[in-house]
Amino acid sequence: AIGFVLESDSVPCVYVLQVGGDLQSDLSITSAWTYPNQRSQTSVNTVKSRIGMPRDGLTTVKVEIVGTVGIITLARGKHNAWTGRMHTEYRQALQYLEKHARVRVIVVTGQGSRFCVGADSRALETHVQRGGYDSGVDETTVARPGFGVSPHFDANFAFHYGLSKPVIAAVNGAAAGVGLVLACYCDLRFVASSAVMTTAHGKLNLPAECGLSWVLPRVVGLTRAMDLLLTSRRFTAAEALEMGLANDVVADEDLMPRVLAYAQNLAETVSPGSLAASKRQVYLDQHRSVGEAVIDADTRLSKMMTEPDYVEGVAALTQRRLPEWGRTHKPKGQPAKL
């Protein structure tokens, strides 16, 4: 199933479509509801639409759009265990939402009561049988969201840092191994109170996965990162909050409403340009000096003050109203010098 929002909607509304085969052909709408979960009385017939998703459909992730927020749900069985197909489909979904003009913030969560328990156990057994690692991903054809911004980001999971839109992890349950990796590469993390997490790799004679040895110390500090990486112990949502890994811990049933409200607030009150610039600055600055960061900030400041959303931001501030990003204002003469 895939969700989308019709352009004519006056309120955010998710339409859930049952897809069979070719996504470029007819899509039958099976249900619809408005956020947060009210059934819509709208009657919609079969829709023909090109929505830019894979022709064969998605089997391990779901994609929805609620207002200006895109949602990717890991949806593979009870545990949402990671496979090469899920990795491929996740990147396809991420690229679709990155390019979608309506979407300003992306949320990643898991189906059911788990976020992602790590690699599929059968895939691990396959690695043993083959005598080595097989990602199951065709790097010649897989989507490349976030690539091309910086060589530092042109790698698995690091590509999140090249995206222009904030990505929020709604960790709704267990996150282990690559599941924890995915959460750590998101820009923000909200965690369900019952969730338990672990790096997991140490129990399998593996190294810290996918650059987690670089990410985790920057998120929680070197000492705490070493504890989690060396022991591969389980830790709770409360610990994640205390060590700075989680932005907030929320009752399980309140997690998605809380995350969607936060995401919608970002989309409404902060300009898309500022969201993109702030994210880009933070991750590029991890690889350069403070002087280079200042020069880049000054360059961006000069450019962004000439853009329509700066004019709109000032107007909204002085008129004490919510901004309408993308709105065009007629010029009123030369801007004042600072």
Side-chain angles (χ1 to χ4, degrees), residues 70-134:
I71 305 170
I72 300 175
T73 302
L74 308 179
R76 184 175 178 271
K78 183 179 179 181
H79 302 290
N80 303 321
W82 197 264
T83 63
R85 184 175 185 109
M86 178 179 279
H87 185 107
T88 299
E89 292 185 1
Y90 174 73
R91 283 169 64 161
Q92 291 170 330
L94 201 61
Q95 179 169 276
Y96 169 67
L97 294 177
E98 168 73 359
K99 292 181 176 181
H100 199 294
R102 182 190 293 272
V103 174
R104 295 180 183 173
V105 181
I106 299 170
V107 172
V108 180
T109 192
Q111 174 179 265
S113 60
R114 276 118 175 145
F115 182 70
C116 173
V117 299
D120 183 84
S121 59
R122 287 171 295 183
L124 295 175
E125 292 173 352
T126 299
H127 300 327
V128 173
Q129 294 167 3
R130 295 182 178 179
Y133 177 65
D134 180 6

Side-chain angles (χ1 to χ4, degrees), residues 55-327:
R55 292 181 65 86
D56 294 331
L58 301 174
T59 62
T60 63
V61 302
K62 297 176 183 177
V63 180
E64 300 169 276
I65 296 174
V66 179
T68 53
V69 179
I71 305 170
I72 300 175
T73 302
L74 308 179
R76 184 175 178 271
K78 183 179 179 181
H79 302 290
N80 303 321
W82 197 264
T83 63
R85 184 175 185 109
M86 178 179 279
H87 185 107
T88 299
E89 292 185 1
Y90 174 73
R91 283 169 64 161
Q92 291 170 330
L94 201 61
Q95 179 169 276
Y96 169 67
L97 294 177
E98 168 73 359
K99 292 181 176 181
H100 199 294
R102 182 190 293 272
V103 174
R104 295 180 183 173
V105 181
I106 299 170
V107 172
V108 180
T109 192
Q111 174 179 265
S113 60
R114 276 118 175 145
F115 182 70
C116 173
V117 299
D120 183 84
S121 59
R122 287 171 295 183
L124 295 175
E125 292 173 352
T126 299
H127 300 327
V128 173
Q129 294 167 3
R130 295 182 178 179
Y133 177 65
D134 180 6
S135 69
V137 177
D138 185 351
E139 291 294 342
T140 64
T141 60
V142 70
R144 296 166 68 83
F147 278 72
V149 172
S150 167
H152 298 295
F153 307 154
D154 292 347
N156 276 338
F157 294 99
F159 57 72
H160 285 84
Y161 297 155
L163 299 173
S164 65
K165 300 172 183 179
V167 181
I168 304 174
V171 183
N172 57 304
V178 68
L180 180 62
V181 168
L182 175 58
C184 286
Y185 274 102
C186 292
D187 304 304
L188 301 163
R189 286 159 293 279
F190 291 79
V191 182
S193 57
S194 67
V196 176
M197 291 151 278
T198 174
T199 58
H201 66 276
K203 311 296 185 181
L204 298 169
N205 188 44
L206 296 175
E209 299 176 82
C210 306
L212 197 58
S213 56
W214 186 93
V215 178
L216 205 52
R218 284 169 166 78
V219 177
V220 303
L222 185 62
T223 301
R224 284 170 166 157
M226 288 297 284
D227 170 43
L228 299 179
L229 292 170
L230 291 177
T231 65
S232 287
R233 69 176 180 83
R234 289 155 51 104
F235 60 97
T236 66
E239 285 183 271
L241 180 64
E242 191 273 333
M243 68 177 68
L245 181 62
N247 291 87
D248 198 5
V249 172
V250 185
D252 292 23
E253 65 274 15
D254 296 330
L255 180 64
M256 283 306 291
R258 169 80 168 93
V259 171
L260 289 177
Y262 184 99
Q264 291 283 19
N265 182 67
L266 270 185
E268 289 178 1
T269 63
V270 183
S271 75
S274 184
L275 289 175
S278 297
K279 175 170 178 168
R280 188 65 46 80
Q281 287 173 276
V282 167
Y283 294 125
L284 286 176
D285 287 352
Q286 302 304 305
H287 303 280
R288 58 191 180 188
S289 70
V290 62
E292 291 171 312
V294 171
I295 292 171
D296 178 63
D298 288 346
T299 301
R300 292 177 187 273
L301 181 70
S302 296
K303 177 180 182 297
M304 292 176 71
M305 289 184 73
T306 67
E307 296 172 351
D309 274 351
Y310 171 70
V311 179
E312 170 60 14
V314 172
L317 178 66
T318 57
Q319 296 169 21
R320 298 183 180 182
R321 60 171 174 80
L322 281 174
E324 298 176 33
W325 305 121
R327 180 180 179 182

Side-chain angles (χ1 to χ4, degrees), residues 330-336:
K330 294 181 179 180
K332 296 182 179 180
Q334 295 297 321

